[in-house]
Amino acid sequence: MAVYTDVAAEELTQFLAGYDIGTLLSYKGIAEGVENSNFLVHTSHGSFILTLYEKRVAATDLPFFLGLMEHLASRGITCPQPVKNRQGDMLGMIAGRPAAIITFLEGLWIRRPSATHCARLGTALARLHLAGLDFPLRRTNALSVAGWRQLYEHCAARANEVQPDLGAFLARELAEHERNWPLGLPEGVIHADLFPDNVFFLGDTLSGLIDFYFACTDTLAYDVAICLNAWCFEPDGSFVPVRGQALLQSDQSVRKLTDAELKALPILARGAALRFLLTRLYDWINHPPGFLPASDIVQRRRLKPVHQRQPAIDDDRSAGDVGRNAVRQHRQRHRG
């Protein structure tokens, strides 16, 4: 559930009076998402999203997130826009939380993506990366490899409650990534959380990208790796090659990956899976019972991509295979 802070109708009516978006007709909480409290708000002028930024989101990061959405929209990326109040501010306060009104984006997220959806995603991802190159603000990725050890140390004592050998597994993986994480690759703004529920479609047409509250400045290919993990596997953990190929080919048709980026994709994909395994485990430990089933944590482990030097935990193909395939295809095209 993603309504951690409730909002009374009277409070919301007073809050909306500071905006030129009409009067309140109705509102309801939005269950999806894990970071903030979100409400779908209907006014006499249309539909909007009210987001209350919870304690886990640093107030100092909000100008980056909201400014990025404005910047990307000015470069042709379809994403929600923060609505300024009558004083020209994008941020206000309601129910004791920093809050923003965001434009409503039409579309639905796809529960089981096809290769066509992955191709649309690849194009949109590359366009986002190019559009963000001249964004003037920077935000360090607190959930990249430098931040994983702190997460691990917080979770290690209870990791085996999810799966008997999970603690030792995490320790090995973390040490491996700290030794071998690729450096010096092209950087810029990345979304860092572009899972299917953050990408809207109308039919097969991608209608927009949402939820930029993990966006940061980091390795662009790491964003590609996150998407490979999130979009190119079946629920049983099996890799779907046609999806991975469609995503990578479309991404490269807009922003060509360097040889170094292609070579790094296997460990970036493996690291991306480790990042989400750690944060899911952290959330399971630190949220009320029932927030995230332990079985979901195990599933994240089962989907863990593996580097080419190590065997998989299961016999499923890994997202690391996507990186290796991309390297082979790239070289074959250039030899041809």
Side-chain angles (χ1 to χ4, degrees):
M1 181 175 180
V3 176
Y4 305 108
T5 301
D6 198 12
V7 176
E10 295 79 7
E11 284 184 292
L12 183 53
T13 298
Q14 184 177 0
F15 183 76
L16 294 180
Y19 293 81
D20 291 316
I21 60 172
T23 57
L24 179 64
L25 299 179
S26 65
Y27 71 105
K28 63 179 180 180
I30 299 174
E32 292 167 340
V34 296
E35 287 298 307
N36 304 306
S37 295
N38 296 287
F39 298 85
L40 176 59
V41 177
H42 299 286
T43 77
S44 54
H45 288 187
S47 298
F48 301 87
I49 301 296
L50 168 67
T51 297
L52 277 64
Y53 300 101
E54 300 294 344
K55 294 178 180 179
R56 186 165 165 178
V57 177
T60 53
D61 286 334
L62 295 178
F64 178 94
F65 299 143
L66 299 176
L68 177 61
M69 287 189 278
E70 278 199 322
H71 176 86
L72 293 176
S74 74
R75 300 297 189 272
I77 305 299
T78 305
C79 60
Q81 292 298 287
V83 179
K84 294 180 179 179
N85 61 25
R86 291 194 175 98
Q87 284 71 47
D89 299 324
M90 292 185 287
L91 274 173
M93 291 288 295
I94 186 171
R97 296 281 186 267
I101 297 289
I102 308 295
T103 56
F104 181 79
L105 195 65
E106 295 286 350
L108 299 171
W109 70 272
I110 304 300
R111 267 63 176 178
R112 188 170 182 179
S114 67
T116 298
H117 296 125
C118 291
R120 302 288 188 270
L121 170 69
T123 300
L125 181 65
R127 291 184 61 233
L128 183 157
H129 290 162
L130 294 178
L133 290 178
D134 61 345
F135 183 57
L137 302 182
R138 291 183 61 87
R139 176 179 179 265
T140 299
N141 185 3
L143 293 175
S144 189
V145 63
W148 296 343
R149 181 158 293 280
Q150 183 177 358
L151 283 170
Y152 164 75
E153 290 174 350
H154 186 91
C155 299
R158 295 188 59 192
N160 289 352
E161 294 178 28
V162 173
Q163 189 165 300
D165 62 344
L166 186 57
F169 166 78
L170 289 172
R172 292 193 303 271
E173 284 296 300
L174 179 58
E176 175 78 10
H177 283 80
E178 288 174 336
R179 287 193 301 268
N180 296 308
W181 195 248
L183 302 175
L185 298 176
E187 290 190 348
V189 171
I190 69 170
H191 185 284
D193 193 35
L194 211 51
F195 278 65
D197 59 344
N198 288 330
V199 181
F200 282 2
F201 285 85
L202 292 171
D204 287 336
T205 300
L206 193 151
S207 60
L209 311 176
I210 68 167
D211 199 351
F212 285 82
Y213 302 115
F214 285 103
C216 55
T217 308
D218 204 346
T219 301
L220 298 178
Y222 180 59
D223 223 11
V224 177
I226 290 171
C227 290
L228 289 171
N229 284 358
W231 289 73
C232 301
F233 287 83
E234 292 286 13
D236 66 0
S238 58
F239 171 58
V240 185
V242 67
R243 293 190 206 167
Q245 292 164 4
L247 193 159
L248 283 170
Q249 289 171 2
S250 295
D251 183 82
Q252 290 213 84
S253 72
V254 178
R255 187 190 77 86
K256 191 173 181 62
L257 274 67
T258 66
D259 286 345
E261 287 178 296
L262 289 169
K263 184 178 180 180
L265 272 180
I267 193 168
L268 291 173
R270 178 178 167 189
L274 178 61
R275 171 266 195 254
F276 286 98
L277 172 56
L278 284 168
T279 52
R280 290 275 178 155
L281 180 60
Y282 180 94
D283 287 343
W284 179 74
I285 290 172
N286 289 281
H287 285 77
F291 172 77
L292 187 69
S295 60
D296 196 35
I297 301 289
V298 174
Q299 180 75 349
R300 290 304 180 279
R301 175 179 175 180
R302 217 171 81 78
L303 296 184
K304 180 194 73 66
V306 292
H307 191 264
Q308 53 195 357
R309 294 198 303 270
Q310 291 190 348
I313 292 174
D314 296 321
D315 292 331
D316 299 326
R317 295 188 61 187
S318 71
D321 294 330
V322 179
R324 292 190 287 279
N325 289 339
V327 174
R328 285 196 292 270
Q329 292 168 5
H330 176 84
R331 290 172 176 165
Q332 288 169 357
R333 285 197 299 272
H334 282 267
R335 282 201 297 267

